[in-house]
Each structure stands twice: as C-alpha cells, then as structure tokens.
Amino acid sequence: MMKFRFRRQGADPQREKLKQELFAFHKTVEHGFPNQPSALAFDPELRIMAIGTRSGAVRIYGAPGVEFTGLHHNAATVAQMHFLPGQGRLLTLLDDNSLHLWEIVPHNGCAHLEEMLSFQLPSRPVFDGASTLPSLSRVTVVLLVADGNRAALGTEGGSVFFLNMDTLTLLEGQTLAPDEVLRSLPDDYRCGKALGPVESLQGHLQDPSKILIGYSRGLLVIWSQTAHCVERVFLGNQQLESLCWERSGSTVVSSHSDGSYAIWPADSGSSLVLQPTAATMPYGPFPCKAINKILWRNCESGGHFIIFSGGMPRASYGDRHCVSVLQAETLVTLDFTSRVIDFFTVHSTLLEDEFDDPQALAVLLEEELVVLDLQTPGWPAVPAPYLAPLHSSAITCSAHVANVPAKLWARLVSSGEQQSPQPTSSTSSWPITGGQNLAQEPSQRGLLLTGHEDGTVRFWDASGVALRPLYKLSTAALFQTDCEHADSLAQAAEDDWPPFRKVGCFDPYSDDPRLGVQKVALCKYTARMVVAGTAGQVLVLELSDVPAEQAVSVASMDLLQDREGFTWKGHDQLSPSTGPLPWPAGFQPQVLVQCLPPAAITAVTLHTEWGLVAFGTSHGFGVFDYQRKSPVLARCTLHPNDSLAMEGPLSRVKSLKKSLRQSFRRIRKSRVSGKKRAVNASSKLQEANAQLAEQAYPHDVEVTPVQRRIEPRSADDSLSGVVRCLYFADTFLRDAVHHGPTLWAGTNSGSVFAYALEVPAAATGSEKRPEQAVEAVLGKEVQLMHRAPVVAVTVLDGRGRPLPEPYEASRDLAQAPDMQGGHAVLIASEEQFKVFTLPKVSAKTKFKLTAHEGCRVRKVALATFASVACEDYAETCLACLTNLGDVHVFSVPGLRPQVHYSCIRKEDISGIASCVFTRHGQGFYLISPSEFERFSLSARNITEPLCSLDIRWPRDTTCDRHSGAVRGHALAHLHGLSHQCRHHAGHYRGRYNGGCERFLGRNPRRICGMWRKMRPTPAPF
C-alpha cells in the first residue's frame, strides 16, 4: 500500500507579503584591505583615491564612508590608473593592453561608478592600407595631457600615441615615432642600440603643451606638441626607470636601474644637455637595486623633498621593501614588510601656487596602506580610518557584539587612543577627504572582534561602512616567548646604515603558533571578556581605564580525569610569566586557566552574572569559577578509540594509515548495510508499481519532497569527543516548577550534556554573588540518532524567544523571559534542527535539513528581523549557513523554512568557516585573507555606502556631444558598491542596489549590458 503525505495547497499570500517585509538579501560592502592591489591613483582636486587589483576590481575611497566599486568585464590585472582631475572620471590600463574609462554617473539621486568606454589596443601590425597608424605594441606608460581631453600612450616600441578621451580612439597624425626623435640626436649617440621602450611621460604644470619623454636607454627629450618638434635633449646613458618634472619646470630628476638618480637642468640655453648637474647613488658605492619611482617636491620653507622607492644595496638589503624620504640633510629609509606597489604625495596643484608644500605621503603596499605626515617633525604615520589590514596577523576567529553600551564604547576608544603611536604634536588628519558621507548616524554601535595568530584580539567599529580600528589587545606578554629578543635585534639594526625605520603594522609572522586565539567572548555590560588559545589557555580579562602592574592567577584543569590509555602527543603548554607584570590601560588579565592536555580550545562561553566561564577542547569541557578562582566541573568526552584527539593540531605524528583504514571501513560498512536493506524485485513488478503511482498521484497538489537517507555515524569516529558548543541558561531542567542555572554542552558525536548548577544567589541590591562554591550535577544527556555534530544549543522561553544575555533582564535592558510557560531547547546539529520540551526533553518539532536539502549546517545564529512596513513588528528566526554556501532562515520555534539565498561559493571553504552572524540579521565572512564581505538578510537593517561627491567641471554627456557642450555643476549622490559586480578568487558575485536596480544575475557582462539598456541618458548639469 502506498502512502502520500500532502501539504496545504498553495501559499498564504499574507505570509508571503510579510516575508518580503522582513527578509531581503544584499551584499552591501567589503571591509578591510583590497586583496592583491596592483595600481594606485589620486585626484588632488576631489581628494579621492583609487586602488586597482589583480582581479580587475576598481575601488575608490574618499572621506570615511565614501567608497564605491567597479569591476572590469575581463578579470585582468589593473596595471595603471589615472584620474582626470576634478571630473570624476578614471582611466585604467589593464595588462591585456586594453584601456577603460570609468565615470561617476548620477541617476535619480543614486549614482554609481560605471565603465563608459573601453578600447582594445592592437598589439600586432595592421596591414590595412587605409590606416596610417603604425603598429601599436604594448603600452608601458599613460599620461593625461592637461590642456584637453587627450592622453599620451608610451609603448614598448618607443612610439608615443595620442588618445581622444571623449571617444577613446587614437588620434591620427599626432603620433611621435622613434625616428623623429633620433633625427634630433648627435650621430655618435644615434649609432648603436635603439632607444628602447618609453619608460616615463611627464607633463609640464605651467606649459601643458610640453611633454617630457624618457626612454629605457636613458635618453630624455622635451617634446613640443604645438611645434611638433623636440625642444631639448638630455643624453643619458644609464637605463632609465622613472622621471619627475619639478614644479617650475626648470629641473628634471631621473632615476636609474643602478640605484642612482640624476638632476638635469631644463632651463639652460642649449637644446642639447650632455651631462646632469648632479648624479648620486644614495646607498652606494656598492651595487644597488633600481630606483623604481622618484618624486621631487619643493617647499616654501626651503629644502625640497626627494622621495623614491628601491635603490637599496643589492647584497645586504636587496630583499627589503623601502621608500626613502630625503629633505636637506635628513634621510629616512621607510622599511615595510610587504612589496611597494606605488606612492603619491598630497600637495598643492593650483597653478597660482609657487610651491608644492607636500602635506602627506601615501604608500600603497601589497598588504596595507601607510600614510605619513610630512608637516610634522619626525614624519609620523597617520592612523587610517579605513583600509586597515585585517590580516596584519592571520585571522583565526571572529565574533560580533551588537548594541554596545555608550559607556563601554567610550572606554574602548579611550584605551585605543592611548595605544596609538600618533604623537600629540601632530596636527595632520587623514588627507583623503573627498566626498561627504550622507548615511545617518547608526542607531546602535556594533563591535567586530577578530582573534589573530600572534595572540592579539582587535576591536573594530563595525557600525557603518568604514571598518575603523578601535583597540588592540595583546596576550603574548603573559607568556614567555622570544618576542623580547626579536625586538632587541630590531632596535640594534636601527643604529646602522641605511637609517631604517619600521613602518606599518602588517606582520604575518608569529613568534609562537601556540599564541593563536581560537575563541573570544565579551560581556558588554560588565566589560569582561574571555580569550581562549591554541595551547589550551583560557584568559579571563577585565577592562581598566588606567595602567596597572599586577600578577595573574594561574590555575590548571585536567579534562582527561586521569583516564588511562591516553598520551598527549601534541605541543606543550605555554609557560606563563611569573611575578607582577605591567599592563596598559585596556583589558587586563585576571585569571589564566590552563587546560590539560593543552589542546586548542574549540568552544567557550561566559556568564558574568554567575561569575562562570566554560570551555571545551577535543578531550572534554570544564567550568571555572573566576570569582573564587576555583574549578567547578571537568568532564571528559573522549571515546575509548578516539586516539587521534591526542595528537593535537600542531603535531606531525598523525597516522595517515589509520585515517585511511577508518575511511575504507566506513565505506564498506555503508555498502553492506545498503545490500541488506535492498529488496529483490522483478522489473515487471517495479513497472507496475510505477504505473500505479502515476495513476494515484494527484498532480495538482504539492507533496513533501523525498528525503535522503542519512547513514548514522560510527561511535568510534575520530575526534568524536570534540566539544562544539557550550551554553549557559536559566531554565527548567530538574522539574517543571523550579528553574535554575544550567550548562549545555554539545559534542562532535551528537551528544548533548545538560548540567544543573548550584550558584549562590546574590544579595538584594548587589550584583556580586557570595563567596560560596558552585556545584554542578549532571541532569540530562541526549544522544542524537545519527550522531551528527551538535553546532549550537539554545533555550527558548515560554513565548518561544531566546533567553536574554546576562544582566540584560536584571538591568531592564531587555524584556524579562517568560518563566511561567514551558521552556524548550533548540538543538542544531549538522543535519537537522530539533526542538525538545523541558524538562522532559521530549521531541516537539524538527526539520531535517540534510534529508531535504542535501547539505550540512556550518553556522547558526538566532537573529531578530524587523519589518520595513511596521516599526514595531519583528520576528526572531534561526539563520543557518550550509556547507554549500547557502543561507537558510527558519521560524522559531516552529522551524518552518522562510527564505534561502545563495551567499558564498561552496568551494570557498575558508569563507564559509569564517562566517559570523549578527543579532539583527547581518553577517560577515572572509572573501580574502584581508577582506570581510558584509551581507544582510534583513529588509530593514542594511549597512551600505551612501555618499555625495561635489564635481565641478565642463562636462560633455552623450547627448551633449550632439547638441553642444553644457557647462554646470553636478552633485552626484554615490551609492558605491551596491549594485556592482565584484570578481574575487576566480568567481563573480552578484550585487544588489539598496535604493536603485535589483539583482540582475551572476554574469557581470549581462549585468552591465542590461544596466546600460535601462539607464537613461544623463541629463545636463
């Protein structure tokens, strides 16, 4: 007999409308530093900066909160970028020899960065007789000519072509071929090797008709566009790297491949200059590396700046990444930890100004952006309000804290300011100030905490578009490491020549991998936090506004409980420093709990109202009373055959043979069990059953999908004792009348342990409990049928809502939980969600995610989704991220599927593992080691760029070119990044626009094409 279960026909239209008001998926902004930057540009008039990447992305930044993103159709490396000053237009050159013109296009008060024109330069000879242009080889350098909408293109063949910027087409009849230059050279210089590629093009600030051209051979010429002839020739013989034209045009500076630079007179009477007035090798006389780029900036106070990259002694410091700043007799060699991409100075570009007077130096490195204040003695670094290198040390964990109280926020900001290396004498602020942030002040403050490999925890302001660093906590000082020795060596090196100065915060090397932070937990009401590490160290810290010198209490807990047959083969524990230690203002450690064996901490939770911290490893879990500094509970969760857990993550003695053996046994067992369940039926009987099913099946009724059969996991699987989650709750465990403190622990083998805690109650009017011992008694033990790892445990009150955080209800900061109705516990495993009633622990409802969707749970969180139609209406739902990168939202406690979205590529394992949900329906995940992608599941709570840029320039639009030029003023409201496509890690990701167009697909070509069809012609300004 065949049975069918039918669902209710159709969907509830009211519920579908409510879903649209509650849920919407947006990828809104990317926090952090662009991955693999390759090019840099700066607009001195608009004060905005552009960064191009190897994946073809273009990101523009202004004042904090002003940013937008574009993506080239073909994911080629951005080789060069050039702003058309004051126009809001950007010309990019890719390594595939194509040019692209980007423009800020306003549309109904919501504008974006769009690729307006593109031009693929021919790289092979053209045999068309009608064309008068010579062969155009690869472009090596681009110069935007200041006298009009033209660009000069220097090529490998030595020719200079000119480009019409309005149409992005080559101008015929204006090409400068190498033969024309050779005719102006002396015979003895002309004979021999060719001029080589064009290495540099520089424009004259006072006379835009003149162009300074530098060839690889070392020849420099000043070309007059009006007279179409060579005005002056500088006969250099050393291979050229770069050029710089002094502001007045009287001096030319050239840098060369041998680590030298030369100064040439450009105002001499002779048209042929044989020798430079000065030539020097700053770090000679031994062979040096090339000076890749050089700048000359004069000052009204006297003493010009010479800034260059490279030029280090090849044998001694050839592996250093340096930028040197020279003014008069002062030389500073800025030593960076990653490769120098490009740099620029922020200085005056007004024609009426006689001096440059540089304010700041911005250096783009492969892993960070560093800005120096050139107007303050000592040239200190300026703290960046955004583009901070999240990966200054590799990120090992992250957490989000919402609704941070104003008092705690102010204390964190104060502690961070005391850490800042910025001296009080510096008056310089962030120099990239273009645009205006129009976004409203966030209604609540959000903290993003990132744990790092070097033992630090960084606090970030995640309230808005710009991810701003607030405070850094370091735990390495508590342990005995080799940090002090390394610092002394670095200090000793500073006294030598060259005068190195360490700049930047990117430091990917950890002194000891055991310092790595695995888990963090913060109580925002008491300013206490827990930091747990790789070597089993658990630190309880408290925020202090003043520095202190104090000793840290140390305790140890053996999670094996003297169980025989287990020998730890992993790393040793860290040795804590003895005696009182100096601690700066900020979070200061109070207690150090050392787990034995010293395995990495896999779960941690903190309950400041009870004064308890719980932590788990691959061996078990423990509870510690940090108020009395005494252990409360230690429980071993190891299976007798779980020997792999004794080897540790840093051990090299893992048995590959044993792992393969277990895998083959599991496969064999699955095949055998499948054969036993197989039914031997003839083909005729199967056909008859199929026909019968077709006749009896009502096609117009929706049925429940076929569930996949899930194989139960073996009890002796490796790492089955790993503790995946820990949770404190005040609920009913012993009976339905009395509620009290409980601890819930979930393991990798599908086991859930519930302990009843006897916590002495605090006196009336006091938040500190009495100094009495806390006791723990095992109350319940649940074993899930398929032994799927338990990802999360949450207790729901009588109204089906999650319990408030510690002190939220007692301080009237949240609605008190319903302690009258029956409580329930929601257990989320990798395969299903299940709600059990309390205290009987009987199944109430469930949803089998793996059986229905064929995926496994990786991250879960409870989030509140507010309605866009009604401010007072909100729902608490369960957000879940799967191993396929999809995000599902379920109702609580009914566990009904609401919506699901494709969020992360299933191949992006690190991105899925790094995902963090917030309490208000947003999330973060790493799209690269240095970037967080921010997304929103809420239709109301969206954080995206909303900014304006004041553009004043003579503008010709598409329709203006037919009807005449229209001059005016434009105020473009820029919704950067919202609807653009972004290429990263070999894939395209669709974007949403918060106020304009909706999602158009995953193919960026389709998106851009459809957008061009939809976008009306911009109206004249």
Side-chain angles (χ1 to χ4, degrees):
M1 180 178 179
M2 303 186 67
K3 296 181 180 180
F4 295 93
R5 291 186 299 155
F6 301 101
R7 287 182 182 171
R8 185 174 56 184
Q9 187 172 2
D12 184 4
Q14 289 296 113
R15 183 59 191 173
E16 293 301 319
K17 180 181 178 182
L18 187 58
K19 286 182 183 179
Q20 295 179 3
E21 297 172 353
L22 291 173
F23 312 109
F25 182 74
H26 306 266
K27 287 185 178 179
T28 55
V29 67
E30 293 171 1
H31 297 300
F33 186 77
N35 186 45
Q36 296 182 331
S38 57
L40 178 69
F42 179 67
D43 188 334
E45 295 187 21
L46 296 180
R47 288 292 183 106
I48 55 178
M49 174 184 66
I51 296 178
T53 69
R54 295 184 190 176
S55 59
V58 177
R59 300 180 67 172
I60 299 179
Y61 302 91
V66 179
E67 55 183 73
F68 12 70
T69 295
L71 174 70
H72 293 90
H73 294 179
N74 45 347
T77 299
V78 180
Q80 294 183 40
M81 309 174 74
H82 301 273
F83 273 110
L84 280 71
Q87 300 183 18
R89 295 197 293 173
L90 178 71
L91 182 67
T92 60
L93 171 67
L94 305 186
D95 65 351
D96 63 355
N97 215 34
S98 62
L99 288 168
H100 305 261
L101 182 63
W102 296 82
E103 186 175 340
I104 295 168
V105 181
H107 177 63
N108 294 336
C110 176
H112 64 284
L113 181 68
E114 183 182 349
E115 181 183 347
M116 303 300 293
L117 298 169
S118 63
F119 177 52
Q120 182 66 49
L121 300 168
S123 58
R124 295 183 179 181
V126 179
F127 298 100
D128 185 6
S131 175
T132 59
L133 291 174
S135 169
L136 181 63
S137 57
R138 180 171 295 276
V139 175
T140 55
V141 64
V142 178
L143 171 68
L144 296 177
V145 182
D147 62 345
N149 286 336
R150 292 187 304 154
L153 309 178
T155 64
E156 283 185 347
S159 300
V160 178
F161 295 83
F162 290 89
L163 192 73
N164 186 337
M165 293 299 299
D166 289 335
T167 59
L168 219 61
T169 56
L170 293 176
L171 298 173
E172 299 189 14
Q174 298 189 25
T175 304
L176 173 61
D179 295 341
E180 297 185 54
V181 177
L182 287 172
R183 284 195 290 267
S184 305
L185 302 181
D187 294 337
D188 56 345
Y189 192 91
R190 191 187 315 169
C191 300
K193 58 183 180 180
L195 299 180
V198 178
E199 291 291 343
S200 182
L201 293 173
Q202 297 292 322
H204 196 296
L205 185 63
Q206 308 295 333
D207 187 358
S209 65
K210 296 181 180 180
I211 298 179
L212 176 64
I213 307 173
Y215 295 91
S216 177
R217 180 178 173 182
L219 175 70
L220 315 179
V221 298
I222 296 179
W223 173 261
S224 174
Q225 299 181 73
T226 55
H228 205 73
C229 66
V230 175
E231 280 195 358
R232 185 167 281 105
V233 176
F234 307 89
L235 298 181
N237 292 305
Q238 185 61 42
Q239 182 176 338
L240 182 71
E241 293 291 332
S242 71
L243 287 174
C244 181
W245 210 335
E246 187 261 340
R247 185 183 186 91
S248 64
S250 61
T251 304
V252 172
V253 183
S254 62
S255 66
H256 303 276
S257 61
D258 62 347
S260 66
Y261 67 86
I263 301 175
W264 305 80
D267 56 354
S268 61
S270 173
S271 62
L272 183 64
V273 181
L274 301 178
Q275 296 292 333
T277 57
T280 180
M281 185 179 293
Y283 299 107
F286 298 105
C288 296
K289 300 195 72 173
I291 295 180
N292 303 310
K293 181 177 180 178
I294 191 166
L295 296 179
W296 175 298
R297 299 289 182 254
N298 55 17
C299 301
E300 187 175 4
S301 59
H304 54 263
F305 280 92
I306 295 180
I307 306 171
F308 58 90
S309 61
M312 303 307 298
R314 188 176 296 273
S316 304
Y317 304 106
D319 57 344
R320 298 287 186 102
H321 310 289
C322 299
V323 171
S324 301
V325 182
L326 174 64
Q327 186 185 29
E329 301 299 325
T330 303
L331 173 64
V332 173
T333 307
L334 305 175
D335 188 12
F336 303 101
T337 54
S338 58
R339 185 170 59 91
V340 177
I341 303 296
D342 202 353
F343 60 92
F344 64 84
T345 58
V346 180
H347 62 278
S348 173
T349 57
L350 299 177
L351 293 178
E352 56 268 21
D353 291 344
E354 185 179 353
F355 300 96
D356 295 310
D357 287 329
Q359 306 168 18
L361 169 66
V363 184
L364 176 65
L365 306 163
E366 198 168 34
E367 305 293 351
E368 61 183 322
L369 177 74
V370 176
V371 176
L372 299 179
D373 177 11
L374 296 181
Q375 294 184 333
T376 301
W379 305 329
V382 180
Y386 51 82
L387 283 178
L390 304 176
H391 63 316
S392 54
S393 176
I395 296 177
T396 51
C397 68
S398 55
H400 185 269
V401 182
N403 300 329
V404 179
K407 184 178 180 181
L408 173 60
W409 190 270
R411 296 177 67 187
L412 285 173
V413 171
S414 175
S415 300
E417 289 175 349
Q418 296 181 48
Q419 290 181 333
S420 175
Q422 177 76 355
T424 56
S425 59
S426 176
T427 58
S428 177
S429 58
W430 185 249
I432 303 166
T433 58
Q436 181 183 2
N437 184 12
L438 301 180
Q440 296 181 354
E441 192 69 18
S443 58
Q444 56 91 19
R445 297 290 184 181
L447 274 178
L448 181 65
L449 310 181
T450 55
H452 298 264
E453 190 181 32
D454 61 353
T456 59
V457 179
R458 286 172 168 82
F459 292 65
W460 308 89
D461 178 5
S463 310
V465 173
L467 193 67
R468 183 168 62 96
L470 294 179
Y471 167 73
K472 183 178 75 170
L473 164 67
S474 178
T475 63
L478 184 59
F479 303 99
Q480 299 177 6
T481 61
D482 297 332
C483 301
E484 298 82 6
H485 179 63
D487 292 342
S488 63
L489 290 179
Q491 187 67 31
E494 290 182 359
D495 301 332
D496 299 336
W497 176 264
F500 287 116
R501 173 182 156 193
K502 284 286 184 181
V503 183
C505 61
F506 177 72
D507 184 11
Y509 306 107
S510 174
D511 296 289
D512 195 328
R514 296 174 297 173
L515 291 171
V517 177
Q518 296 296 322
K519 298 291 178 181
V520 292
L522 171 67
C523 176
K524 57 190 177 184
Y525 301 112
T526 60
R528 276 191 172 91
M529 73 177 301
V530 175
V531 178
T534 304
Q537 69 271 26
V538 179
L539 273 164
V540 180
L541 306 100
E542 186 175 6
L543 185 61
S544 175
D545 298 328
V546 295
E549 185 171 348
Q550 61 187 16
V552 179
S553 301
V554 181
S556 61
M557 291 187 65
D558 185 8
L559 300 182
L560 288 182
Q561 299 285 285
D562 298 327
R563 185 174 294 192
E564 298 180 357
F566 291 94
T567 303
W568 174 248
K569 303 176 183 177
H571 50 268
D572 295 331
Q573 68 185 62
L574 286 165
S575 300
S577 301
T578 57
L581 298 173
W583 299 103
F587 279 97
Q588 300 172 355
Q590 306 294 317
V591 182
L592 168 63
V593 184
Q594 179 62 57
C595 296
L596 298 176
I601 302 297
T602 57
V604 72
T605 186
L606 174 68
H607 202 292
T608 53
E609 205 165 354
W610 302 338
L612 300 177
V613 58
F615 42 84
T617 69
S618 57
H619 309 121
F621 59 91
V623 180
F624 189 83
D625 182 353
Y626 64 82
Q627 183 173 316
R628 298 183 67 248
K629 297 180 175 59
S630 62
V632 175
L633 167 69
R635 170 67 186 261
C636 182
T637 56
L638 282 177
H639 189 272
N641 296 333
D642 199 0
S643 60
L644 189 60
M646 304 305 297
E647 298 181 1
L650 304 179
S651 174
R652 297 183 179 181
V653 297
K654 290 185 178 180
S655 174
L656 178 61
K657 184 184 298 184
K658 180 177 181 181
S659 177
L660 291 173
R661 188 185 302 119
Q662 290 176 344
S663 300
F664 282 118
R665 286 178 179 174
R666 193 179 300 114
I667 294 173
R668 191 181 304 115
K669 186 184 300 183
S670 173
R671 289 177 177 175
V672 171
S673 60
K675 291 179 180 179
K676 291 181 179 179
R677 284 188 293 266
V679 179
N680 296 324
S682 64
S683 59
K684 290 184 179 181
L685 182 59
Q686 291 178 0
E687 292 177 0
N689 288 337
Q691 294 176 0
L692 181 61
E694 289 183 359
Q695 294 173 3
Y697 189 87
H699 295 279
D700 57 341
V701 178
E702 182 185 2
V703 299
T704 57
V706 178
Q707 297 185 10
R708 296 166 175 81
R709 183 169 58 84
I710 307 301
E711 289 290 342
R713 307 187 185 200
S714 174
D716 59 351
D717 278 352
S718 297
L719 301 178
S720 61
V722 175
V723 177
R724 295 288 296 271
C725 62
L726 292 164
Y727 178 69
F728 283 118
D730 184 359
T731 187
F732 303 89
L733 187 61
R734 294 177 175 175
D735 54 58
V737 180
H738 304 91
H739 63 86
T742 60
L743 170 70
W744 300 76
T747 70
N748 226 26
S749 60
S751 299
V752 178
F753 304 95
Y755 279 81
L757 304 175
E758 295 290 343
V759 181
T764 305
S766 174
E767 292 184 349
K768 190 174 182 180
R769 62 177 178 81
E771 292 290 333
Q772 298 177 7
V774 179
E775 296 181 358
V777 179
L778 180 62
K780 305 288 183 181
E781 185 173 344
V782 180
Q783 178 62 60
L784 300 182
M785 180 171 28
H786 290 142
R787 300 183 178 274
V790 179
V791 180
V793 177
T794 302
V795 173
L796 309 175
D797 66 2
R799 292 186 292 265
R801 300 176 179 174
L803 300 181
E805 295 182 10
Y807 287 112
E808 269 191 336
S810 62
R811 297 184 180 181
D812 297 328
L813 300 172
Q815 184 179 3
D818 182 6
M819 308 302 288
Q820 302 300 325
H823 281 200
V825 58
L826 169 61
I827 299 178
S829 72
E830 285 191 358
E831 296 178 358
Q832 66 178 356
F833 310 118
K834 205 164 187 177
V835 176
F836 297 88
T837 60
L838 290 177
K840 292 184 178 180
V841 193
S842 58
K844 183 178 180 181
T845 181
K846 64 181 176 181
F847 184 85
K848 299 180 179 180
L849 185 68
T850 303
H852 287 291
E853 305 293 339
C855 54
R856 295 188 181 275
V857 177
R858 287 294 177 258
K859 301 283 183 176
V860 293
L862 289 171
T864 301
F865 294 89
S867 171
V868 294
C870 179
E871 293 185 1
D872 298 331
Y873 184 78
E875 290 185 7
T876 300
C877 300
L878 179 71
C880 149
L881 176 69
T882 71
N883 64 326
L884 301 181
D886 298 330
V887 176
H888 298 253
V889 178
F890 299 88
S891 63
V892 173
L895 297 181
R896 294 185 180 89
Q898 302 299 305
V899 291
H900 73 274
Y901 308 102
S902 179
C903 181
I904 312 174
R905 294 181 307 117
K906 63 181 180 180
E907 297 86 4
D908 189 1
I909 299 175
S910 61
I912 294 174
S914 64
C915 182
V916 174
F917 290 106
T918 73
R919 291 182 60 181
H920 299 287
Q922 295 194 36
F924 302 83
Y925 69 93
L926 287 172
I927 56 175
S928 74
S930 60
E931 289 175 292
F932 271 112
E933 175 81 78
R934 188 175 192 144
F935 64 90
S936 175
L937 304 172
S938 171
R940 180 174 170 182
N941 186 20
I942 302 173
T943 303
E944 63 180 348
L946 178 61
C947 44
S948 66
L949 188 65
D950 197 4
I951 305 175
R952 295 181 177 91
W953 61 287
R955 180 188 181 102
D956 289 343
T957 61
T958 306
C959 58
D960 295 335
R961 282 192 284 270
H962 299 282
S963 59
V966 178
R967 299 173 182 268
H969 169 77
L971 178 65
H973 295 279
L974 307 176
H975 259 262
L977 179 62
S978 296
H979 55 273
Q980 292 290 338
C981 249
R982 175 81 156 85
H983 178 274
H984 181 78
H987 77 286
Y988 291 102
R989 298 194 308 274
R991 294 237 177 251
Y992 285 79
N993 184 353
C996 297
E997 274 58 40
R998 291 297 171 189
F999 184 60
L1000 298 177
R1002 287 185 173 272
N1003 190 333
R1005 298 179 184 273
R1006 174 172 170 250
I1007 292 176
C1008 298
M1010 293 182 65
W1011 171 253
R1012 289 195 179 96
K1013 294 176 183 178
M1014 296 167 61
R1015 185 181 63 82
T1017 303
F1021 297 103

